[in-house]
Every structure is written in structure tokens, then in C-alpha cells.
Short mmCIF file of all heavy atoms in Angstrom, two decimals:
data_model
loop_
_atom_site.label_atom_id
_atom_site.label_comp_id
_atom_site.label_asym_id
_atom_site.label_seq_id
_atom_site.Cartn_x
_atom_site.Cartn_y
_atom_site.Cartn_z
N MET A 265 21.07 -1.66 -39.38
CA MET A 265 20.47 -2.44 -38.32
C MET A 265 20.06 -1.49 -37.20
O MET A 265 20.78 -0.60 -36.84
CB MET A 265 21.48 -3.46 -37.78
CG MET A 265 20.82 -4.39 -36.84
SD MET A 265 21.84 -5.57 -35.97
CE MET A 265 22.69 -6.46 -37.20
N GLU A 266 18.87 -1.73 -36.69
CA GLU A 266 18.37 -0.87 -35.63
C GLU A 266 18.97 -1.27 -34.29
O GLU A 266 19.25 -2.42 -34.04
CB GLU A 266 16.85 -1.00 -35.54
CG GLU A 266 16.14 -0.44 -36.73
CD GLU A 266 14.64 -0.56 -36.56
OE1 GLU A 266 14.18 -0.48 -35.40
OE2 GLU A 266 13.95 -0.72 -37.56
N HIS A 267 19.16 -0.27 -33.48
CA HIS A 267 19.64 -0.52 -32.13
C HIS A 267 18.43 -0.66 -31.20
O HIS A 267 17.57 0.20 -31.16
CB HIS A 267 20.52 0.62 -31.63
CG HIS A 267 21.79 0.74 -32.42
ND1 HIS A 267 22.83 -0.12 -32.24
CD2 HIS A 267 22.16 1.59 -33.40
CE1 HIS A 267 23.80 0.21 -33.06
NE2 HIS A 267 23.42 1.26 -33.79
N HIS A 268 18.41 -1.75 -30.51
CA HIS A 268 17.31 -1.98 -29.58
C HIS A 268 17.78 -1.68 -28.17
O HIS A 268 18.81 -2.17 -27.74
CB HIS A 268 16.82 -3.43 -29.64
CG HIS A 268 16.22 -3.77 -30.96
ND1 HIS A 268 15.00 -3.30 -31.35
CD2 HIS A 268 16.68 -4.53 -31.98
CE1 HIS A 268 14.72 -3.75 -32.54
NE2 HIS A 268 15.74 -4.51 -32.96
N HIS A 269 17.03 -0.86 -27.51
CA HIS A 269 17.35 -0.51 -26.13
C HIS A 269 16.40 -1.27 -25.21
O HIS A 269 15.20 -1.30 -25.44
CB HIS A 269 17.20 0.99 -25.87
CG HIS A 269 18.15 1.81 -26.69
ND1 HIS A 269 19.48 1.89 -26.39
CD2 HIS A 269 17.95 2.57 -27.78
CE1 HIS A 269 20.07 2.68 -27.27
NE2 HIS A 269 19.16 3.10 -28.14
N GLU A 270 16.98 -1.86 -24.21
CA GLU A 270 16.14 -2.55 -23.24
C GLU A 270 15.44 -1.52 -22.37
O GLU A 270 16.05 -0.57 -21.91
CB GLU A 270 16.99 -3.47 -22.36
CG GLU A 270 17.55 -4.65 -23.09
CD GLU A 270 18.32 -5.57 -22.16
OE1 GLU A 270 18.05 -5.52 -20.94
OE2 GLU A 270 19.16 -6.30 -22.65
N GLU A 271 14.17 -1.73 -22.18
CA GLU A 271 13.43 -0.83 -21.32
C GLU A 271 13.71 -1.19 -19.87
O GLU A 271 13.63 -2.35 -19.49
CB GLU A 271 11.94 -0.94 -21.59
CG GLU A 271 11.55 -0.43 -22.95
CD GLU A 271 10.05 -0.50 -23.15
OE1 GLU A 271 9.31 -0.45 -22.15
OE2 GLU A 271 9.64 -0.60 -24.31
N LYS A 272 14.05 -0.19 -19.12
CA LYS A 272 14.30 -0.41 -17.69
C LYS A 272 12.99 -0.24 -16.94
O LYS A 272 12.27 0.74 -17.13
CB LYS A 272 15.34 0.57 -17.16
CG LYS A 272 16.71 0.35 -17.74
CD LYS A 272 17.70 1.30 -17.12
CE LYS A 272 19.07 1.07 -17.72
NZ LYS A 272 20.05 1.99 -17.15
N LYS A 273 12.69 -1.20 -16.12
CA LYS A 273 11.49 -1.10 -15.30
C LYS A 273 11.75 -0.13 -14.16
O LYS A 273 12.80 -0.15 -13.53
CB LYS A 273 11.12 -2.46 -14.70
CG LYS A 273 10.63 -3.45 -15.70
CD LYS A 273 10.21 -4.72 -14.98
CE LYS A 273 9.68 -5.74 -15.93
NZ LYS A 273 9.30 -6.98 -15.23
N GLU A 274 10.77 0.71 -13.93
CA GLU A 274 10.88 1.61 -12.79
C GLU A 274 10.44 0.85 -11.55
O GLU A 274 9.34 0.32 -11.50
CB GLU A 274 10.01 2.84 -12.98
CG GLU A 274 10.53 3.77 -14.04
CD GLU A 274 9.74 5.06 -14.06
OE1 GLU A 274 9.28 5.49 -12.98
OE2 GLU A 274 9.59 5.61 -15.14
N GLU A 275 11.33 0.77 -10.60
CA GLU A 275 10.99 0.09 -9.36
C GLU A 275 10.35 1.07 -8.40
O GLU A 275 10.80 2.20 -8.26
CB GLU A 275 12.23 -0.53 -8.73
CG GLU A 275 12.81 -1.66 -9.55
CD GLU A 275 13.97 -2.34 -8.84
OE1 GLU A 275 14.10 -2.15 -7.61
OE2 GLU A 275 14.73 -3.02 -9.52
N ILE A 276 9.31 0.64 -7.77
CA ILE A 276 8.64 1.47 -6.79
C ILE A 276 9.36 1.30 -5.46
O ILE A 276 9.59 0.19 -5.00
CB ILE A 276 7.16 1.07 -6.66
CG1 ILE A 276 6.46 1.24 -8.00
CG2 ILE A 276 6.48 1.90 -5.59
CD1 ILE A 276 5.05 0.71 -8.02
N ASN A 277 9.72 2.41 -4.86
CA ASN A 277 10.44 2.39 -3.60
C ASN A 277 9.43 2.45 -2.45
O ASN A 277 8.74 3.44 -2.27
CB ASN A 277 11.40 3.58 -3.54
CG ASN A 277 12.35 3.46 -2.39
OD1 ASN A 277 12.27 2.55 -1.58
ND2 ASN A 277 13.29 4.39 -2.32
N PHE A 278 9.35 1.35 -1.71
CA PHE A 278 8.40 1.27 -0.61
C PHE A 278 9.02 1.64 0.74
O PHE A 278 8.37 1.48 1.76
CB PHE A 278 7.83 -0.15 -0.51
CG PHE A 278 6.87 -0.49 -1.61
CD1 PHE A 278 7.24 -1.35 -2.62
CD2 PHE A 278 5.61 0.07 -1.62
CE1 PHE A 278 6.35 -1.65 -3.63
CE2 PHE A 278 4.71 -0.23 -2.63
CZ PHE A 278 5.09 -1.09 -3.64
N ASN A 279 10.23 2.14 0.76
CA ASN A 279 10.88 2.47 2.03
C ASN A 279 10.08 3.49 2.83
O ASN A 279 9.97 3.37 4.05
CB ASN A 279 12.30 2.96 1.79
CG ASN A 279 13.21 1.86 1.29
OD1 ASN A 279 12.86 0.69 1.33
ND2 ASN A 279 14.37 2.24 0.83
N ALA A 280 9.53 4.47 2.16
CA ALA A 280 8.76 5.50 2.88
C ALA A 280 7.54 4.87 3.54
O ALA A 280 7.14 5.29 4.63
CB ALA A 280 8.34 6.60 1.92
N LEU A 281 6.96 3.88 2.91
CA LEU A 281 5.81 3.20 3.50
C LEU A 281 6.20 2.47 4.79
O LEU A 281 5.48 2.52 5.78
CB LEU A 281 5.21 2.22 2.50
CG LEU A 281 3.97 1.46 2.97
CD1 LEU A 281 2.83 2.42 3.21
CD2 LEU A 281 3.60 0.41 1.95
N TYR A 282 7.37 1.82 4.78
CA TYR A 282 7.84 1.14 5.98
C TYR A 282 8.07 2.14 7.12
O TYR A 282 7.73 1.88 8.27
CB TYR A 282 9.14 0.38 5.71
CG TYR A 282 8.97 -0.79 4.79
CD1 TYR A 282 9.71 -0.88 3.62
CD2 TYR A 282 8.09 -1.82 5.08
CE1 TYR A 282 9.56 -1.96 2.76
CE2 TYR A 282 7.94 -2.91 4.24
CZ TYR A 282 8.68 -2.97 3.09
OH TYR A 282 8.53 -4.03 2.24
N TYR A 283 8.66 3.29 6.79
CA TYR A 283 8.90 4.31 7.81
C TYR A 283 7.58 4.87 8.34
O TYR A 283 7.44 5.12 9.55
CB TYR A 283 9.77 5.44 7.27
CG TYR A 283 11.20 5.02 7.04
CD1 TYR A 283 11.77 5.10 5.78
CD2 TYR A 283 11.98 4.55 8.08
CE1 TYR A 283 13.07 4.71 5.56
CE2 TYR A 283 13.28 4.16 7.89
CZ TYR A 283 13.83 4.24 6.62
OH TYR A 283 15.12 3.85 6.41
N LEU A 284 6.61 5.06 7.47
CA LEU A 284 5.32 5.59 7.90
C LEU A 284 4.60 4.61 8.82
O LEU A 284 4.06 5.00 9.86
CB LEU A 284 4.45 5.90 6.68
CG LEU A 284 3.09 6.50 6.97
CD1 LEU A 284 3.23 7.88 7.62
CD2 LEU A 284 2.28 6.61 5.69
N VAL A 285 4.61 3.34 8.46
CA VAL A 285 3.98 2.31 9.30
C VAL A 285 4.69 2.22 10.65
O VAL A 285 4.04 2.14 11.70
CB VAL A 285 3.97 0.95 8.57
CG1 VAL A 285 3.57 -0.17 9.52
CG2 VAL A 285 3.04 0.99 7.38
N GLY A 286 6.02 2.26 10.64
CA GLY A 286 6.77 2.24 11.89
C GLY A 286 6.45 3.42 12.78
O GLY A 286 6.29 3.28 14.00
N LEU A 287 6.35 4.60 12.18
CA LEU A 287 6.03 5.81 12.95
C LEU A 287 4.63 5.73 13.54
O LEU A 287 4.43 6.00 14.73
CB LEU A 287 6.16 7.04 12.06
CG LEU A 287 5.77 8.37 12.70
CD1 LEU A 287 6.72 8.71 13.84
CD2 LEU A 287 5.74 9.47 11.67
N ILE A 288 3.66 5.34 12.72
CA ILE A 288 2.27 5.31 13.20
C ILE A 288 2.11 4.30 14.33
O ILE A 288 1.52 4.60 15.37
CB ILE A 288 1.31 4.99 12.04
CG1 ILE A 288 1.24 6.21 11.11
CG2 ILE A 288 -0.08 4.63 12.55
CD1 ILE A 288 0.48 5.97 9.84
N PHE A 289 2.65 3.09 14.14
CA PHE A 289 2.48 2.09 15.19
C PHE A 289 3.34 2.40 16.41
O PHE A 289 2.97 2.04 17.53
CB PHE A 289 2.79 0.69 14.64
CG PHE A 289 1.63 0.12 13.88
CD1 PHE A 289 1.61 0.15 12.51
CD2 PHE A 289 0.55 -0.42 14.55
CE1 PHE A 289 0.54 -0.35 11.79
CE2 PHE A 289 -0.53 -0.93 13.85
CZ PHE A 289 -0.53 -0.90 12.47
N GLY A 290 4.47 3.08 16.23
CA GLY A 290 5.25 3.53 17.38
C GLY A 290 4.51 4.57 18.19
O GLY A 290 4.48 4.52 19.43
N LEU A 291 3.89 5.52 17.50
CA LEU A 291 3.08 6.53 18.20
C LEU A 291 1.90 5.89 18.91
O LEU A 291 1.56 6.24 20.04
CB LEU A 291 2.59 7.59 17.20
CG LEU A 291 3.64 8.51 16.61
CD1 LEU A 291 3.02 9.36 15.50
CD2 LEU A 291 4.27 9.38 17.67
N PHE A 292 1.26 4.94 18.24
CA PHE A 292 0.11 4.25 18.83
C PHE A 292 0.52 3.47 20.07
O PHE A 292 -0.16 3.49 21.10
CB PHE A 292 -0.50 3.32 17.77
CG PHE A 292 -1.74 2.62 18.23
CD1 PHE A 292 -2.90 3.34 18.46
CD2 PHE A 292 -1.76 1.26 18.41
CE1 PHE A 292 -4.06 2.70 18.87
CE2 PHE A 292 -2.90 0.61 18.83
CZ PHE A 292 -4.05 1.33 19.06
N THR A 293 1.66 2.79 19.99
CA THR A 293 2.15 2.04 21.15
C THR A 293 2.49 2.97 22.31
O THR A 293 2.19 2.68 23.46
CB THR A 293 3.39 1.21 20.77
OG1 THR A 293 3.04 0.36 19.67
CG2 THR A 293 3.89 0.38 21.92
N GLY A 294 3.12 4.10 22.00
CA GLY A 294 3.42 5.07 23.05
C GLY A 294 2.17 5.63 23.69
O GLY A 294 2.15 5.90 24.89
N ALA A 295 1.11 5.80 22.91
CA ALA A 295 -0.14 6.31 23.46
C ALA A 295 -0.83 5.27 24.34
O ALA A 295 -1.47 5.61 25.33
CB ALA A 295 -1.07 6.74 22.33
N ILE A 296 -0.70 4.01 23.98
CA ILE A 296 -1.33 2.94 24.76
C ILE A 296 -0.67 2.78 26.13
O ILE A 296 -1.33 2.41 27.10
CB ILE A 296 -1.29 1.61 23.98
CG1 ILE A 296 -2.29 1.66 22.85
CG2 ILE A 296 -1.58 0.42 24.86
CD1 ILE A 296 -2.31 0.44 21.99
N LEU A 297 0.63 3.09 26.23
CA LEU A 297 1.34 2.93 27.50
C LEU A 297 0.72 3.76 28.62
O LEU A 297 0.77 3.38 29.78
CB LEU A 297 2.81 3.29 27.35
CG LEU A 297 3.64 2.32 26.51
CD1 LEU A 297 5.07 2.83 26.38
CD2 LEU A 297 3.63 0.93 27.11
N ASP A 298 0.14 4.90 28.28
CA ASP A 298 -0.60 5.73 29.22
C ASP A 298 0.22 6.14 30.44
O ASP A 298 -0.28 6.12 31.56
CB ASP A 298 -1.89 5.01 29.64
CG ASP A 298 -2.90 5.96 30.25
OD1 ASP A 298 -2.89 7.14 29.86
OD2 ASP A 298 -3.68 5.52 31.11
N VAL A 299 1.49 6.47 30.23
CA VAL A 299 2.32 6.97 31.33
C VAL A 299 2.67 8.44 31.14
O VAL A 299 3.26 9.04 32.02
CB VAL A 299 3.62 6.14 31.50
CG1 VAL A 299 3.30 4.77 32.05
CG2 VAL A 299 4.38 6.04 30.21
N GLY A 300 2.33 9.00 30.02
CA GLY A 300 2.59 10.41 29.78
C GLY A 300 2.72 10.68 28.29
O GLY A 300 2.92 9.78 27.48
N TYR A 301 2.58 11.95 27.95
CA TYR A 301 2.65 12.32 26.54
C TYR A 301 4.05 12.17 25.96
O TYR A 301 4.21 12.03 24.74
CB TYR A 301 2.16 13.76 26.36
CG TYR A 301 0.68 13.89 26.63
CD1 TYR A 301 0.23 14.57 27.74
CD2 TYR A 301 -0.24 13.33 25.77
CE1 TYR A 301 -1.13 14.70 27.99
CE2 TYR A 301 -1.60 13.44 25.99
CZ TYR A 301 -2.04 14.13 27.11
OH TYR A 301 -3.38 14.23 27.35
N THR A 302 5.05 12.21 26.79
CA THR A 302 6.43 12.06 26.31
C THR A 302 6.64 10.70 25.66
O THR A 302 7.38 10.58 24.69
CB THR A 302 7.41 12.24 27.48
OG1 THR A 302 7.13 13.47 28.13
CG2 THR A 302 8.84 12.23 27.00
N TRP A 303 5.99 9.69 26.17
CA TRP A 303 6.18 8.34 25.66
C TRP A 303 5.58 8.14 24.28
O TRP A 303 5.95 7.22 23.56
CB TRP A 303 5.63 7.31 26.65
CG TRP A 303 6.55 7.20 27.81
CD1 TRP A 303 6.41 7.82 29.02
CD2 TRP A 303 7.78 6.47 27.86
NE1 TRP A 303 7.47 7.51 29.81
CE2 TRP A 303 8.32 6.69 29.13
CE3 TRP A 303 8.46 5.67 26.96
CZ2 TRP A 303 9.53 6.12 29.51
CZ3 TRP A 303 9.65 5.11 27.34
CH2 TRP A 303 10.18 5.33 28.61
N ILE A 304 4.66 9.02 23.89
CA ILE A 304 4.14 8.97 22.52
C ILE A 304 5.27 9.30 21.55
O ILE A 304 5.47 8.61 20.54
CB ILE A 304 2.95 9.92 22.35
CG1 ILE A 304 1.79 9.47 23.23
CG2 ILE A 304 2.52 9.99 20.88
CD1 ILE A 304 0.62 10.43 23.26
N PHE A 305 6.04 10.33 21.86
CA PHE A 305 7.16 10.70 21.00
C PHE A 305 8.28 9.67 21.05
O PHE A 305 8.90 9.37 20.03
CB PHE A 305 7.69 12.08 21.40
CG PHE A 305 6.65 13.16 21.25
CD1 PHE A 305 6.14 13.81 22.35
CD2 PHE A 305 6.15 13.50 19.99
CE1 PHE A 305 5.18 14.79 22.22
CE2 PHE A 305 5.18 14.48 19.85
CZ PHE A 305 4.70 15.12 20.96
N VAL A 306 8.52 9.12 22.23
CA VAL A 306 9.53 8.06 22.35
C VAL A 306 9.11 6.84 21.52
O VAL A 306 9.94 6.24 20.83
CB VAL A 306 9.74 7.68 23.84
CG1 VAL A 306 10.62 6.45 23.97
CG2 VAL A 306 10.33 8.85 24.61
N GLY A 307 7.84 6.49 21.56
CA GLY A 307 7.35 5.39 20.76
C GLY A 307 7.50 5.65 19.28
O GLY A 307 7.83 4.76 18.50
N GLY A 308 7.26 6.89 18.85
CA GLY A 308 7.44 7.26 17.45
C GLY A 308 8.88 7.12 17.00
O GLY A 308 9.17 6.60 15.93
N VAL A 309 9.80 7.57 17.85
CA VAL A 309 11.23 7.44 17.52
C VAL A 309 11.64 5.98 17.47
O VAL A 309 12.36 5.55 16.56
CB VAL A 309 12.09 8.22 18.55
CG1 VAL A 309 13.56 7.91 18.39
CG2 VAL A 309 11.84 9.72 18.40
N LEU A 310 11.19 5.20 18.44
CA LEU A 310 11.53 3.77 18.43
C LEU A 310 10.90 3.05 17.23
O LEU A 310 11.51 2.14 16.67
CB LEU A 310 11.09 3.12 19.74
CG LEU A 310 11.87 3.54 20.98
CD1 LEU A 310 11.29 2.89 22.23
CD2 LEU A 310 13.34 3.21 20.84
N GLY A 311 9.71 3.48 16.83
CA GLY A 311 9.09 2.91 15.63
C GLY A 311 9.88 3.23 14.38
O GLY A 311 10.07 2.38 13.51
N LEU A 312 10.39 4.46 14.28
CA LEU A 312 11.23 4.83 13.13
C LEU A 312 12.54 4.06 13.12
O LEU A 312 13.01 3.62 12.07
CB LEU A 312 11.50 6.33 13.13
CG LEU A 312 10.35 7.23 12.69
CD1 LEU A 312 10.73 8.69 12.87
CD2 LEU A 312 9.98 6.95 11.25
N LEU A 313 13.13 3.88 14.29
CA LEU A 313 14.38 3.11 14.36
C LEU A 313 14.15 1.65 13.99
O LEU A 313 14.99 1.04 13.32
CB LEU A 313 14.98 3.22 15.77
CG LEU A 313 15.56 4.57 16.14
CD1 LEU A 313 16.00 4.58 17.60
CD2 LEU A 313 16.73 4.92 15.23
N THR A 314 13.04 1.10 14.42
CA THR A 314 12.71 -0.28 14.06
C THR A 314 12.49 -0.41 12.55
O THR A 314 12.93 -1.37 11.92
CB THR A 314 11.46 -0.75 14.82
OG1 THR A 314 11.70 -0.59 16.23
CG2 THR A 314 11.14 -2.20 14.52
N ALA A 315 11.81 0.57 11.96
CA ALA A 315 11.60 0.55 10.51
C ALA A 315 12.92 0.67 9.77
O ALA A 315 13.14 0.00 8.76
CB ALA A 315 10.65 1.67 10.11
N ALA A 316 13.82 1.51 10.25
CA ALA A 316 15.13 1.65 9.61
C ALA A 316 15.93 0.35 9.69
O ALA A 316 16.58 -0.05 8.72
CB ALA A 316 15.91 2.79 10.27
N LEU A 317 15.86 -0.33 10.81
CA LEU A 317 16.53 -1.62 10.95
C LEU A 317 15.92 -2.64 10.00
O LEU A 317 16.64 -3.38 9.32
CB LEU A 317 16.42 -2.12 12.39
CG LEU A 317 17.00 -3.50 12.66
CD1 LEU A 317 18.52 -3.44 12.58
CD2 LEU A 317 16.55 -4.01 14.01
N PHE A 318 14.60 -2.66 9.92
CA PHE A 318 13.91 -3.59 9.03
C PHE A 318 14.30 -3.34 7.57
O PHE A 318 14.59 -4.27 6.83
CB PHE A 318 12.41 -3.44 9.21
CG PHE A 318 11.59 -4.38 8.38
CD1 PHE A 318 11.43 -5.69 8.77
CD2 PHE A 318 11.01 -3.95 7.20
CE1 PHE A 318 10.69 -6.57 7.99
CE2 PHE A 318 10.26 -4.82 6.43
CZ PHE A 318 10.10 -6.13 6.82
N VAL A 319 14.32 -2.07 7.16
CA VAL A 319 14.67 -1.73 5.78
C VAL A 319 16.11 -2.08 5.47
O VAL A 319 16.42 -2.64 4.42
CB VAL A 319 14.38 -0.24 5.50
CG1 VAL A 319 15.02 0.22 4.20
CG2 VAL A 319 12.90 0.02 5.48
N SER A 320 17.02 -1.78 6.40
CA SER A 320 18.43 -2.01 6.12
C SER A 320 18.82 -3.49 6.17
O SER A 320 19.74 -3.90 5.46
CB SER A 320 19.30 -1.22 7.10
OG SER A 320 19.16 -1.74 8.40
N VAL A 321 18.14 -4.29 6.96
CA VAL A 321 18.53 -5.70 7.10
C VAL A 321 17.70 -6.61 6.21
O VAL A 321 18.23 -7.43 5.47
CB VAL A 321 18.42 -6.14 8.58
CG1 VAL A 321 18.65 -7.63 8.71
CG2 VAL A 321 19.39 -5.37 9.43
N PHE A 322 16.38 -6.49 6.26
CA PHE A 322 15.52 -7.45 5.59
C PHE A 322 15.10 -7.05 4.19
O PHE A 322 14.92 -7.89 3.32
CB PHE A 322 14.27 -7.71 6.43
CG PHE A 322 14.57 -8.33 7.76
CD1 PHE A 322 14.36 -7.63 8.93
CD2 PHE A 322 15.09 -9.61 7.83
CE1 PHE A 322 14.65 -8.20 10.15
CE2 PHE A 322 15.38 -10.18 9.04
CZ PHE A 322 15.17 -9.48 10.22
N VAL A 323 14.91 -5.77 3.94
CA VAL A 323 14.39 -5.33 2.66
C VAL A 323 15.50 -5.06 1.65
O VAL A 323 15.29 -5.17 0.46
CB VAL A 323 13.52 -4.06 2.85
CG1 VAL A 323 12.99 -3.54 1.54
CG2 VAL A 323 12.38 -4.35 3.79
N ARG A 324 16.68 -4.80 2.11
CA ARG A 324 17.77 -4.39 1.23
C ARG A 324 18.05 -5.42 0.13
O ARG A 324 18.24 -5.07 -1.01
CB ARG A 324 19.04 -4.17 2.06
CG ARG A 324 20.24 -3.81 1.22
CD ARG A 324 21.44 -3.54 2.04
NE ARG A 324 21.61 -4.57 3.05
CZ ARG A 324 22.61 -4.63 3.89
NH1 ARG A 324 23.53 -3.71 3.85
NH2 ARG A 324 22.71 -5.58 4.78
N GLY A 325 18.05 -6.70 0.43
CA GLY A 325 18.42 -7.70 -0.56
C GLY A 325 17.27 -8.36 -1.27
O GLY A 325 17.46 -9.29 -2.01
N ARG A 326 16.05 -7.85 -1.11
CA ARG A 326 14.92 -8.55 -1.70
C ARG A 326 14.87 -8.44 -3.22
O ARG A 326 14.36 -9.31 -3.87
CB ARG A 326 13.62 -8.05 -1.11
CG ARG A 326 13.08 -6.86 -1.82
CD ARG A 326 11.74 -6.42 -1.37
NE ARG A 326 11.70 -5.05 -1.85
CZ ARG A 326 11.07 -4.08 -1.33
NH1 ARG A 326 10.37 -4.29 -0.26
NH2 ARG A 326 11.11 -2.89 -1.82
N GLY A 327 15.43 -7.39 -3.82
CA GLY A 327 15.36 -7.21 -5.25
C GLY A 327 16.50 -7.85 -6.01
O GLY A 327 16.52 -7.88 -7.23
N GLN A 328 17.47 -8.37 -5.31
CA GLN A 328 18.63 -8.97 -5.96
C GLN A 328 18.36 -10.42 -6.29
O GLN A 328 17.85 -11.17 -5.48
CB GLN A 328 19.85 -8.86 -5.06
CG GLN A 328 20.22 -7.43 -4.73
CD GLN A 328 21.33 -7.35 -3.69
OE1 GLN A 328 21.73 -8.36 -3.15
NE2 GLN A 328 21.79 -6.15 -3.42
N ASN A 329 18.70 -10.81 -7.49
CA ASN A 329 18.52 -12.20 -7.92
C ASN A 329 19.85 -12.85 -8.12
O ASN A 329 20.78 -12.34 -8.57
CB ASN A 329 17.70 -12.28 -9.19
CG ASN A 329 16.25 -11.88 -8.94
OD1 ASN A 329 15.75 -12.09 -7.86
ND2 ASN A 329 15.63 -11.31 -9.95
#
């Protein structure tokens, strides 16, 4: 009797995409504030932190059935 192996689907990890979107929009928001170049970097950091929160809270359980 042949042994049948179930094929495992490769899941695409979109976490990097969430971090990239958070970084870009954080930088953009910091640039719009127009109070100084330092706020562009602060916006980028806050965008990354927001993306990390989003990934850890909302995205973590989406693949579980």
C-alpha cells in the first residue's frame, strides 16, 4: 500500500508588508506635520510601532480555524 503524504500549503507571510505600509505612512505623516525633519523619523517609528501592534493583535489569529 502506498503512503500518501498530505501536501502542506505554503503560507505567504504578509507581516513585512504591514511593516512597510506602517513605515511609509508614518514617514508621510511626519513630513506633513511640517514642524521639523526630526518628526519624519518620529512618524516612521510610530508607524512601525502601530504596524507591530496591528500584526500582534489583529493579524495573529486570522489563519486559525
Side-chain angles (χ1 to χ4, degrees):
M265 188 185 304
E266 293 182 31
H267 295 284
H268 295 288
H269 297 286
E270 291 183 23
E271 293 183 26
K272 293 183 180 179
K273 290 184 179 179
E274 289 188 33
E275 293 185 18
I276 300 173
N277 191 356
F278 287 107
N279 291 348
L281 181 64
Y282 292 123
Y283 290 120
L284 182 64
V285 169
L287 176 65
I288 289 172
F289 280 100
L291 291 172
F292 184 68
T293 304
I296 287 178
L297 291 177
D298 198 30
V299 289
Y301 292 110
T302 307
W303 286 98
I304 296 173
F305 299 113
V306 171
V309 170
L310 291 176
L312 285 175
L313 289 175
T314 304
L317 176 71
F318 182 79
V319 167
S320 68
V321 173
F322 297 112
V323 178
R324 177 178 46 177
R326 87 173 161 211
Q328 299 173 354
N329 291 329

